[in-house]
Every structure is written in structure tokens, then in C-alpha cells.
Amino acid sequence: MGFENDLDLYLRARYTLIVAVTVEEERALEAVRAVCERGRRRCLAWDLADGFEALHADGQSGSLPTARDPISVIEQVEKAEDGTVFVLKDFHDCWSNPQVKRKLRSAAQRLKFTRKSVIVISPNRTVPEELRDEAVVLALPLPDRGQLDEVLGGLTATPGVKVGLTPAGREKLGQAALGMTAAQARRAYAKAIVRDNALDERHIEAVVQEKKDIIRESEALEFYPVHETPDDVGGLDVLKQWLRLRERAFTEEARDYGLPAPKGIALIGIPGTGKSLTAKMIGGLWRLPLLRLDVGALFGSLVGEAEERTRRALRLAETVAPCVVWIDEMEKALAHGGGDSGTSTRVFGTILTWMQEKTAPCFVVGTANDVASLPPEVLRKGRFDEIFFLDLPTAGERAEIVEVHLRKRRRLPADFDVTSLARDSEGYVGAEIEQAVVDAMYVGFNADREFTTDDIHTALARQVPLSVSQRETIGALRAWLREGRAQSASFAETREAESKFVVPLDPLEPYEPYEPDEPDEDQE
């Protein structure tokens, strides 16, 4: 147990003030009790409502001190017998009191010459500036699979509960609960048991749903259902091949082979080319949970709140691992400036350091439209395994995109002239082609008939594609690719052969729709 081992080490090293960071007070108290019992230390807990109490049998020796306010508590700590460990609950609420801070700081300094220690259980890592030099912060991680299995065992041992879990099913149920606290997992298991008076593999999905609701409450992380497959994404063959090559990268077989878990990819490119859809497709292809990190939700009004939310969100992602962590629109999410007393800079630094140093199998997918707004350190090697550029789709890719959206709406591509649609949608991104199909469906629906190829052609003609309305911006993005700064997500030879289908790279060159050459008379 990492937390218990670290706590025991700190106590033996005579650390006088320890801040145990967790929302799981019961688990923290149990861990402190176990450490004190092993070290034969007397352990007393205090809270504002009930005062002092002994945490274990050895602590019953001697009378309990009396204190009803924080100042009296600190005075009793200093008077207590040597070798006593004090656990203070909710004491972080007293950080704002200058007298309490001063009293605790002085006590922590004097306790260095004793074997007494104070442990403050707090839900966040925020420690007053005056106490930072005296305090050590120790976070209690969320329960691992073994601890969750113990929680499950305690519930299934109840008489009358039918357990129909195979060893594999029990492992999947534990995997489904990863990311929950012990209390949350206990409630999820109990809910399933009470509803059906049994527990079997049918309840795995119910536990997953409970976890989705809990993760959603964390504000910064959102649990995305993954249904997309590579067949739902048109084109991008190089990227798909890269992903398929790493489909088994998170298995024990890969670990035994000596392969490290892939770190992540950056998807840079033109808006509407399928970057977000690709992020969802990766979760479906690899059958991993997809967590979207909403960096904007990390920021709070209190000092230190953003940094604490960031650390909590990243710890939660590591607990759920293996998983895919999606950071959408990185240029906005990881922009940092000096107008907020350095908060955004610290959050930015925390995320970048985590991306570089993480050991948990969290695969990061970062998407961005405006590469010029990204700080250079974001795309540095070591944070992403590869940087892919999603360009305007080629004729072949546009045909695939048309077919994908027709099948998605329960239509047979063979009933449409996909080739002509691919030709006439030159310079259009996937999102614009999809919208043309939807617009054509509205026309057919209101005319009480099936929509046709001509309806889609008409819808395409009405649109002004981004490659025209944002020609300079698109040209600059594609120039970035031509400079060799990223790998194209499509097959290079295909794009080169069909370069006549794409918008000219030079943003000043006028855009002219592709017109096929007239055949020579002698070729007719």
C-alpha cells in the first residue's frame, strides 16, 4: 500500500504536520489506524462536533483530552504524551484564521523534538503559505482493483445474495468501478444487488453508467460513449493504419513483449475534417473509455482551485486507465497568459508535465484547428507519438465520406451517383458534405419523395466551402504541412496523384472549381 508505506515513513522520520488529501475520510482513517497499530503508536482523532476519540484499542489507555475549539486542540497536542498521532478532521476549514495558523505553525516547529505528529485530512491540497514549509502533502489515491474487489467481497458475503460472476466477470466489474471512491463503488454494487437480489455480469453496464454520472460531476472530465468505428470515418488511411498497428498496445501481451504504452497523437488541420470524430473512433477501435478533458471547467474562483481540479481530473483519468483522454481545441484549452495571476500558466504547465511524465496508460488525443496559436512546447516530441495533419479530402476520400453519411441515414450508396458527388464536392470538408446530404433530405422529405443525387448537388452548390471563405487561413495551414512539420493522415501517394482536386496551396491564387479535361477528338 503506497499511501500507508509513505505515511509510516513520514511518521518514523518525525514529520510533524502531514496533510492527507482525500475525499474518502473513512479510508484515510482506516489507513492511519493500520499504520499506528503496526508502529504501536497511540492515535487520537478530533472533530468539532465530538471532540477527541481514540482510533484503535491501544489508544484507549489514558484519559482523552478535552477541546472544543481549534486553539485548544493545538494546546492539547503539545501537552499530550510522546509518540501520539493526532488526526484532525475538517481542520482545513480553520486555515483562514490567522491565530490558528500561527498556533499550528509554532506547534509544528516545537514538535520536531518529539515523536508526536499531526495529520490533517483535507479534500484539497491547498495549504496556507505560512504552513507550506512545515507541512508535507500526501494524497490518498482512489482504490485500485484489489481494494474494490474487497468492497465487492464484503457485500456479496451478505446472506441471501446470489452471486453469478465468473472470475472474468468479477474482473470486468472491478474494471468498470475503477475511478470511483470505495463508498461510490459500494453504493453502485449495492444498488444492483437490491434491485435484482443478485449480482452477475448483467450489472457491469449499470456500474459503468454510475461511473459516467460520477465522472460528469467532476466537472472537468466527461465520459463519452464510444460507438464510432473506422467505417464511420471516411478517408484518413494513414492515420487508421497507424491506429490499427497499436490496437493491442494496452494488453499484457504487449507489456511482456517490452512495448511501452503509446502516449498520444495530435490531430491538426482544417475545421470540419473529422478530428473530433477521429478521437471518438479511437475509443471505439481500441475498446477503451473515452474521457474528454474540458480545460475551461478547471478554472474556479478560489485561489488554488484550478490547480487542484486539474490534479484531481488527471488522477481520475489515471485511475480509469487504460483510457483515451481527449483534449479538444488545444489552441484554446492550452492557451496561457498573464492576466489571471499566473493561474492558466500553472494549469498549462501541470497538463504538459503530466503528458510528458505519466506512466499510466492514458492515450492523449489533442485536436487543434489553429496551429499558430499553439505554444511550441505542446507539440514537442515526448508528449505525442505522432502529429497528423487532416487536409482537405481527396476525391476518393470525398466518395467515402458521401457513402458514410448515406449509410448513416439508412440509404444505399449504390442508389446515388457517388462519383459525381465526389467530383462536385471538391474543396469541401467532411462536415460540409454531411450538411449537403442533410439539406437534400429536407428537400425530399418536404416534397414527400426520396431525396436524390440532384438534391445533394443542389445543396452543395448553395454552400460556400471553408476553402473559399477562409482561403488564406486554409492556405497557411496547408503550407505548414508542406514544410514537413506533420504527417498527412491520408496516403501520400494518393494525395499527390489527386492534387488537382484540392485547393491551390498559394492563398493568393484564385480558386477555380475542378473541370475535367475535354477529350481530344482523335481519342473519342
Side-chain angles (χ1 to χ4, degrees), residues 175-194:
Q175 178 72 35
L178 279 176
M180 294 180 169
T181 66
Q184 289 166 343
R186 187 180 295 108
R187 288 197 295 269
Y189 295 152
K191 182 178 177 182
I193 292 171
V194 169

Side-chain angles (χ1 to χ4, degrees), residues 230-242:
D231 293 336
D232 297 316
V233 181
L236 311 181
D237 292 318
V238 169
L239 174 56
K240 290 178 182 177
Q241 186 180 43
W242 190 94

Side-chain angles (χ1 to χ4, degrees), residues 8 76 80 95 117 150 161 163 197 212 266 298 402 404-405 458:
D8 182 58
Q76 292 295 339
W95 289 152
S117 297
E150 290 178 9
V161 175
V163 181
N197 199 31
K212 288 179 182 178
L298 294 173
V402 171
V404 164
H405 291 300
T458 303

